[in-house]
Amino acid sequence: MYFLDTGMMYFVLPALVFALWAQNRVKTAFKKNMLKVARSGVTGNDVARDILKGSGIHDVSVEVSRGALSDHYDSRAKAVRLSPEVYQGQSLAALGVAAHEAGHAIQHDVGYAPLGIRNAIFPVASLGSNAAFPLFFIGFILQYPLLMDLGILFFLGAVIFQVVTLPVEFNASNRALALLEGQGYITGDEVGPVKEVLNAAALTYVAATAMALAQLLRLVLLRSRRD
């Protein structure tokens, strides 16, 4: 199991440590900046609705989702879903997250290409991610190279999905900061805390991409054992 151990030690385990650190950082940044109330006094719900309205988007709803850090934009239902602490919150963290999710709705409305690509490949990437490891390791155990190659190809789709996700998330965060400051929801000295939350959240997507690439490299190393 030399290549398996090598792949785990030099690729997967460091990526896992990075991912755990990124998750802890976003929780810490969110918790800290949830205590900082924005001077504007608006809620995350107010910000999301105002941004959508100001962008000429009238067919996207703003709803409450369940669970902490469950905020997301559902492009199929055309709904910005915010966790209770963001929907009702007046903190800088709440405003940043709400504006970020509204930014995704704006991307959808203007036809932002990376978002369209991500949505288009999501079903294939999801299927590929679920099927990749069973296919690969059945092929590895049975010494059937075709199954291993199919597993790698399927997982490559999941890696591409993660890579395409990066510009989508960074662009939404950039839109959020510009909208919040430009429309007076935050002042100049409040930009830093909002940026801290958004950067920490974006880092989790970087970590997810690193993990996917590490797993892909591990599969390639294992595949080389059968040549």
Side-chain angles (χ1 to χ4, degrees), residues 55-79:
S55 301
I57 301 173
H58 304 288
D59 59 346
V60 173
S61 62
V62 180
E63 306 170 357
V64 181
S65 62
R66 294 182 179 180
L69 300 178
S70 59
D71 313 272
H72 64 282
Y73 170 63
D74 187 336
S75 59
R76 291 174 296 181
K78 302 199 78 171

Side-chain angles (χ1 to χ4, degrees), residues 36 39 92 181 186-194:
K36 299 177 181 178
R39 295 191 184 94
L92 294 176
E181 190 173 17
I186 59 175
T187 58
D189 62 324
E190 293 176 322
V191 171
V194 173

